[in-house]
Amino acid sequence: MKVLIILSVFAVASSGVSDNKKRSFPADFLFGSATAAYQVEGAWDEDGKGEGIWDYMTHNHPNTISDLSNGDVASDSYHNYRRDVQIMRELGLNAYRFSLSWPRILPTGFAYNINPAGIDYYNKLIDEMLKYNITPIVTLCHFDLPQKLQELGGFANPMIKDWFEDYARVAFQHFGDRVKYWITFNEPVFCSLGYGSDKLAPIVNSTAIGGYLCAKHVVLAHANAYHAYKNDFKPTQGGQCGFIVGVSWYEPLTDSPEDKLAAEIKRQGDWGLYTEPLLSAEGGFPKDLSARIASKSAQQGFSKSRLSDFTDNEKIWIRGAVDFLGVNHYTGSLVSATKYKIPASVPSSEDDLDVGIYIRDEWPTAQSSWLVKFPNSTYNVLTDLMKRYNNPFMYITENGWSTTPDSTLVDDDRVTYYRDVLEDILDAIDAGVNIKGFLAWSMIDNFEWTRGYTERFGLYQVDFEDPARTRTPRKSAFVYKHIIKNRYIDRDYEPESMTMTIDEGH
């Protein structure tokens, strides 16, 4: 089966297969950037928008955020969308990935109550982009669930698949005449961290089954939306509908069979929960992981496995239900079956995996402590996906490197990072990987979930102390623009000035 994969990349290093700094990207290679609604929009309660789970959590449990902040205003893209499109033009982007706010469009979460102001906002953003030939890539749910649905159980409620399909249909109906790239979910890490623990909204912290129940319902919700698009919208709109997973690179600490299995179990637990039901020939959840959870569940006194597999009919419904797969690749680590383990609660997904993680001291670390440059990480992920899923087409939707809030505009670490990643991509192309594009994370500084504003990923700095939320390009913005314009990586390039202009014709 051939599918299109959209891949997101974080914290990687060049594989070093070639040092030819002017290898060119293919003529049809797509360059863009990305953001997410709650992280940049602000206007949290304006113009009829409903309350989302991040609104609720940051207002009622502010201690969950490192700096006690929230996304009430964030980068204020709701009022500055024209400036954001101007930034896209300054960079010379071909595409921009953004998410819709479910509670902005459906304030109660249900499709009977559509908010006209929310529809109008996204129409204006899409039309402004298309005016300058910038392709919109739209994510339906980037962690942003309406609070009213969470009060009914959210992704622990099997009805969520129908509620999500209704929401998706509203989006397809209102924007599908112009949007040709749809993504249902952005990496459902909220299942393990929001339902299986208390590290993300909605902080359910059901360690035994919460994360697994969420994962199952997310996949089913995606499949419902995918088939709705394929059957009722694609024939006239001609677009594609896909899904994003988070793929970190996990490499065994040693060549022992135990460490190799540990690395594979970690891969299955992190992202195989989603890719295997959608892309594997057999369908259903990953086999090694399923066997381990079933064994542990029996030992713990459960009457059946805490990971409830799909029915045969569900497997058929899900398998192949992707036109493209998005992959967020943040970082990498070494995995051990016996060493570097951290005590975990029992039962929990961490205890189910039962592996240790090791990061070498010499690997550079960003402001985000989890974000390290694992050598050859991008190259390894791309080639691994190629082998697992019959060399699918791939696009990278996110890639970035975090700095401190007080870092200067001369962000050389980020510049080096981007160049290393893009060299890795060129190496993957040389190896036969069908990778077709790259979207940088993030176009502008934003609210970084539970880290608040303590970490900055933007190509453009946002002054969060300025009510106007002034955007200023960093050095990395000029370097990325140079790569986009010339379609090769020049490691000797230095911007002559820090003044950004729009090139003629964009």
Side-chain angles (χ1 to χ4, degrees), residues 165-473:
E165 178 186 341
D166 291 343
Y167 161 54
R169 286 179 176 274
V170 170
F172 299 152
Q173 289 166 356
H174 285 86
F175 312 121
D177 59 326
R178 288 150 293 155
V179 174
K180 305 306 174 185
Y181 293 93
W182 292 98
I183 297 164
T184 53
F185 293 98
N186 174 80
E187 103 174 86
V189 67
F190 58 82
C191 285
S192 60
L193 299 183
Y195 286 81
S197 75
D198 58 359
K199 295 179 174 62
L200 289 178
I203 55 175
V204 172
N205 202 26
S206 172
T207 61
I209 65 171
Y212 299 140
L213 195 60
C214 173
K216 182 176 182 178
H217 294 158
V218 162
V219 173
L220 288 168
H222 160 79
N224 274 23
Y226 170 84
H227 287 291
Y229 186 78
K230 179 182 178 181
N231 295 330
D232 297 337
F233 297 93
K234 189 171 185 175
T236 56
Q237 295 180 357
Q240 303 175 63
C241 182
F243 184 87
I244 289 178
V245 288
V247 179
S248 294
W249 176 245
Y250 297 117
E251 195 167 292
L253 180 66
T254 71
D255 289 333
S256 72
E258 294 79 11
D259 283 356
K260 289 180 179 178
L261 176 60
E264 178 58 22
I265 288 289
K266 180 63 174 168
R267 296 182 197 117
Q268 292 182 12
D270 270 22
W271 48 271
L273 281 169
Y274 308 100
T275 57
E276 290 299 303
L278 290 167
L279 297 174
S280 70
E282 299 82 6
F285 287 127
K287 301 301 182 287
D288 295 329
L289 178 69
S290 296
R292 177 170 291 194
I293 296 172
S295 175
K296 290 217 172 206
S297 297
Q299 294 170 15
Q300 293 157 356
F302 288 88
S303 61
K304 60 184 66 175
S305 176
R306 289 180 283 104
L307 176 64
S308 175
D309 207 349
F310 303 99
T311 66
D312 289 342
N313 286 337
E314 287 172 340
K315 290 179 182 179
I316 294 170
W317 182 247
I318 295 163
R319 190 166 58 241
V322 282
D323 295 324
F324 58 83
L325 176 70
V327 182
N328 290 355
H329 171 55
Y330 287 78
T331 189
S333 63
L334 300 174
V335 182
S336 172
T338 57
K339 299 180 179 179
Y340 309 112
K341 294 183 180 181
I342 298 175
S345 59
V346 179
S348 68
S349 59
E350 290 82 3
D351 178 70
D352 290 338
L353 299 183
D354 192 26
V355 301
I357 298 298
Y358 180 68
I359 303 295
R360 297 197 185 280
D361 292 339
E362 62 268 26
W363 294 344
T365 302
Q367 169 66 6
S368 310
S369 60
W370 51 267
L371 206 167
V372 301
K373 278 190 178 183
F374 186 113
N376 307 333
S377 180
T378 311
Y379 179 83
N380 290 338
V381 163
L382 293 174
T383 53
D384 183 65
L385 288 167
M386 175 179 68
K387 295 170 186 175
R388 285 177 187 264
Y389 302 120
N390 193 27
N391 200 13
F393 293 105
M394 304 183 190
Y395 287 77
I396 293 175
T397 54
E398 295 182 11
N399 162 258
W401 187 257
S402 60
T403 55
T404 64
D406 58 355
S407 59
T408 70
L409 295 175
V410 182
D411 53 344
D412 286 321
D413 286 349
R414 184 178 284 116
V415 168
T416 299
Y417 169 77
Y418 275 128
R419 285 170 171 165
D420 288 347
V421 170
L422 290 168
E423 290 281 8
D424 235 18
I425 293 169
L426 288 172
D427 291 339
I429 292 173
D430 290 345
V433 176
N434 287 320
I435 179 167
K436 297 294 184 179
F438 173 88
L439 307 181
W441 183 272
S442 176
M443 189 174 77
I444 57 176
D445 286 340
N446 52 52
F447 176 83
E448 282 299 328
W449 306 117
T450 56
R451 298 301 298 166
Y453 300 100
T454 66
E455 300 171 359
R456 306 294 171 88
F457 279 89
L459 291 165
Y460 277 61
Q461 177 192 79
V462 174
D463 184 353
F464 292 105
E465 302 300 319
D466 181 358
R469 295 301 195 266
T470 304
R471 286 104 156 100
T472 306

